[in-house]
Amino acid sequence: NWIELDLTRVSVVGQSFGGAAAAYTAMADKRINGVCILLDPDLESVYGEMKGKSVNLPLLIIRTQSSDASLLRGGDNKEMIFELVASNKERIKQSMSCSFENASHISQTDLVLHMPREIMMFNMMKDVGAVEDYLILNNKLTQTFLDMMLYEKDPSGGFQSVEMVVRKFSLFAKKVRHGAKLLIDKVI
């Protein structure tokens, strides 16, 4: 059995350093023509190469407040993220940066599902149940963004806006136990 790939919607996703690599790849490789999703990216590692360039794709960045300062050398990761969103002029209505209230860098991964006891033991998380909710919310927001940007057109036949993504996602988010609040940084 062969899997058919739709090469008209090639997208990149990455977390932490992988988020920086995904952003850089989206800028450098024109075969990436779908969306770019960055989960708590550490942009400092590729910031010099990215400065002045644009992803030019629908862009979703789910960051954490705990990683606002760069993970590596104390740079301002939050400002780098805002610059990346602002540079995405051709797709600005399809670009956003957001976070979930009280989420941490580790809550952007599936590590908590594989090692919950160790994470609690080393005080990397305070509430595994809340982290589970963050994973559910991250997945749903990512899925909603992908579906709406890649497959659903607005009434005029263009791309959906992030406002529509947030509206659709909010209907789902109300059903989650801990009700982690989505904080929108930039919807321009």
Side-chain angles (χ1 to χ4, degrees):
N1 292 334
W2 290 92
I3 297 173
E4 288 188 40
L5 299 177
D6 182 353
L7 297 179
T8 65
R9 296 183 177 122
V10 178
S11 300
V12 291
V13 178
Q15 192 264 343
S16 195
F17 181 74
Y24 181 79
T25 301
M27 290 175 178
D29 191 335
K30 297 306 169 203
R31 295 174 297 175
I32 310 298
N33 52 12
V35 300
C36 181
I37 298 175
L38 311 177
L39 304 174
D40 210 16
D42 182 10
L43 297 180
E44 188 172 9
S45 57
V46 294
Y47 184 68
E49 290 84 9
M50 290 173 41
K51 194 145 178 74
K53 296 179 184 168
S54 173
V55 171
N56 198 26
L57 298 169
L59 174 65
L60 171 63
I61 301 174
I62 305 174
R63 64 177 191 78
T64 64
Q65 296 156 339
S66 63
S67 296
D68 281 348
S70 175
L71 301 173
L72 297 175
R73 292 177 289 280
D76 193 342
N77 201 47
K78 182 178 178 181
E79 283 306 311
M80 291 178 214
I81 287 170
F82 288 177
E83 278 184 42
L84 180 61
V85 173
S87 73
N88 208 25
K89 290 178 177 58
E90 290 185 38
R91 295 277 186 246
I92 203 71
K93 291 197 181 296
Q94 292 84 38
S95 299
M96 70 184 279
S97 168
C98 63
S99 60
F100 289 104
E101 193 172 53
N102 299 320
S104 69
H105 191 69
I106 201 95
S107 68
Q108 297 286 326
T109 72
D110 63 353
L111 190 61
V112 71
L113 299 175
H114 302 290
M115 302 174 64
R117 197 165 27 115
E118 292 84 351
I119 288 172
M120 296 300 283
M121 192 167 52
F122 292 109
N123 202 26
M124 296 167 79
M125 304 264 24
K126 297 201 183 324
D127 182 357
V128 173
V131 175
E132 213 170 65
D133 283 350
Y134 291 130
L135 290 174
I136 292 166
L137 291 167
N138 273 340
N139 288 341
K140 186 62 176 181
L141 181 56
T142 301
Q143 177 189 1
T144 303
F145 186 81
L146 281 167
D147 288 347
M148 293 189 79
M149 293 300 162
L150 295 178
Y151 301 107
E152 296 179 24
K153 299 294 181 189
D154 73 3
S156 69
F159 284 102
Q160 291 285 350
S161 68
V162 290
E163 286 88 355
M164 294 303 294
V165 171
V166 170
R167 214 173 282 154
K168 189 172 184 177
F169 168 76
S170 294
L171 296 173
F172 170 83
K174 291 177 185 173
K175 301 174 189 173
V176 177
R177 284 185 302 223
H178 290 85
K181 184 177 177 184
L182 178 66
L183 307 170
I184 309 289
D185 298 319
K186 296 253 179 170
V187 178
I188 301 174

